[in-house]
């Protein structure tokens, strides 16, 4: 089986590549903006062939698809930072929505008989009343941020191709996921890095935080990689699935768990710069549809996820 992972050097890409490397007869290809940097990425498995490409460029995408001739495409490339999207909304929409359109057009025009798994987001649901949770795949899309709007547009683009052309496209609405190697602009990783720096004496013993009251549905990145692999194993064309735990954890709880792992005392200070113009107070998904279709369920508890994340940052600082 020939697999292509766009955005292979992102957070989830190396985990998915490692997951797929165990498939019998797997031929792995990864698309990255900088092929030389990708080849130097120690997290990617041996044997993965890196192809340089830009998801915003039609010719670049076609070149990658022609070289890989994939049977399964995992579309992970995209703008993933919700905070950055507030400052660069047009760029976020270009990469996430139009990038997905260009990729699917490339697959269609080349006549590739490929399954494409698209990484959507639980943030497409936006803010809903507490009693509306857990959110199902039929819940309305009410994006609250530029990032969420770009993912909702991506989601709709990906839904159109199976309907119009019969293509095998599957959408996974990923809720919050974290773990080792998560970039520091994301909340759990930010806390973990600050603790690691405090332990090394690299910053004062103060953790700077934003909104701690928001409640989120967290899954370990390694469970997410397994979800991608399972999604591609069946013909689920046109389907959309929540990938989540179905449980709420407040950002305050995440912070408290990490503080409990710290090797020194730390205090907490609210930083206005870390507050977003609009924030969803509660976001919990219903994972039943995906579980019934694939047998997937998260297996790694958040306590282990956060411990592994903190230990990874200790090794970086």
């Amino acid at each position: 089986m020939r697999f292509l992972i766009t955005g292979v050097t992102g957070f989830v890409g190396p985990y998915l590549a490692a997951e797929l490397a165990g498939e019998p007869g797997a031929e792995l290809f990864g698309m990255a903006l900088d092929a030389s940097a990708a080849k130097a990425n120690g997290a990617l498995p041996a044997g993965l062939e890196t192809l340089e490409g830009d998801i915003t460029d039609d010719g670049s995408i076609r070149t990658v698809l022609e070289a890989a001739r994939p049977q399964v495409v995992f579309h992970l490339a995209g703008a993933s930072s919700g905070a950055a999207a507030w400052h660069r909304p047009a760029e976020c929409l270009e990469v996430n929505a139009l990038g997905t359109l260009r990729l699917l057009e490339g697959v269609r025009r080349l006549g590739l008989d490929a399954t494409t798994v698209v990484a959507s987001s639980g943030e497409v649901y936006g803010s809903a009343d507490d009693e509306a949770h857990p959110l199902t795949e039929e819940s309305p899309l009410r994006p609250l941020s530029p990032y969420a709007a770009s993912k909702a547009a991506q989601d709709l683009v990906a839904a159109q191709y199976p309907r119009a052309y019969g293509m095998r496209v599957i959408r996974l609405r990923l809720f919050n996921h974290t773990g080792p190697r998560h970039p520091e602009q994301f909340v759990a990783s930010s806390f973990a890095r600050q603790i690691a720096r405090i332990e090394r004496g690299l910053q004062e013993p103060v953790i700077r935080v934003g909104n701690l009251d928001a409640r989120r549905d967290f899954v370990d990145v390694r469970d997410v990689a397994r979800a991608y692999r399972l999604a591609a194993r069946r013909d689920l064309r046109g389907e959309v699935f929540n990938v989540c735990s179905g449980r709420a954890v407040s950002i305050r709880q995440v912070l408290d768990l990490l503080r409990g792992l710290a090797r020194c005392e730390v205090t907490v200070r609210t930083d206005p710069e870390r507050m977003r113009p609009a924030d969803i107070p509660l976001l919990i998904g219903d994972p039943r549809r995906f579980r019934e279709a694939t047998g997937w369920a998260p297996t790694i508890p958040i306590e282990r996820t956060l411990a592994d994340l903190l230990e990874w940052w200790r090794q970086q600082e």
Side-chain angles (χ1 to χ4, degrees), residues 46 110-111 183 186 232:
L110 285 173
F186 296 93

Side-chain angles (χ1 to χ4, degrees), residues 68-112:
R69 307 296 300 184
Q71 294 163 284
V72 179
V73 179
F74 294 97
H75 180 38
L76 276 57
S80 60
S81 172
W86 286 103
H87 303 289
R88 298 188 296 276
E91 177 183 320
C92 186
L93 187 66
E94 166 78 14
V95 172
N96 290 341
L98 295 184
T100 299
L101 177 66
R102 290 186 173 101
L103 176 68
L104 292 174
E105 272 296 283
V107 171
R108 184 181 73 84
R109 289 178 177 177
L110 285 173
L112 297 176

Side-chain angles (χ1 to χ4, degrees), residues 137-243:
E137 290 82 357
E138 282 73 40
S139 298
L141 307 190
R142 295 171 174 165
L144 194 62
S145 68
Y147 168 76
S150 76
K151 297 301 282 186
Q154 174 198 50
D155 199 294
L156 292 172
V157 165
Q160 180 244 323
Y161 275 76
R163 295 168 184 160
Y165 304 112
M167 290 170 60
R168 294 197 302 275
V169 181
I170 304 161
R171 291 163 287 151
L172 297 186
R173 291 176 181 161
L174 286 299
F175 283 64
N176 290 63
H177 45 288
T178 190
R181 303 198 296 268
H182 206 189
E184 65 173 302
Q185 65 261 36
F186 296 93
V187 63
S189 200
S190 171
F191 294 162
R193 182 174 188 250
Q194 290 183 74
I195 289 172
R197 288 178 59 80
I198 291 167
E199 290 175 344
R200 292 287 299 273
L202 298 175
Q203 74 175 60
E204 62 177 330
V206 176
I207 298 179
R208 291 168 174 79
V209 303
N211 177 19
L212 296 178
D213 295 326
R215 291 177 288 165
R216 294 292 184 267
D217 189 326
F218 281 92
V219 175
D220 190 285
V221 64
R222 292 159 288 196
D223 279 328
V224 165
R226 184 166 50 87
Y228 277 113
R229 177 175 59 82
L230 291 174
R233 281 187 164 182
R234 301 184 182 183
D235 187 356
L236 300 171
R237 76 183 71 201
E239 290 286 353
V240 59
F241 299 102
N242 290 335
V243 177

Side-chain angles (χ1 to χ4, degrees), residues 105-150:
E105 272 296 283
V107 171
R108 184 181 73 84
R109 289 178 177 177
L110 285 173
L112 297 176
D113 185 23
T115 296
T116 304
V117 183
V118 175
S120 183
S121 169
E123 289 210 26
V124 299
Y125 296 116
S127 185
D129 294 337
D130 286 9
E131 56 268 23
H133 289 80
L135 299 164
T136 71
E137 290 82 357
E138 282 73 40
S139 298
L141 307 190
R142 295 171 174 165
L144 194 62
S145 68
Y147 168 76
S150 76

Side-chain angles (χ1 to χ4, degrees), residues 285-296:
D286 185 337
R288 286 179 295 177
R289 179 186 285 184
F290 192 56
R291 182 174 65 239
E292 291 166 1
T294 67
W296 178 88

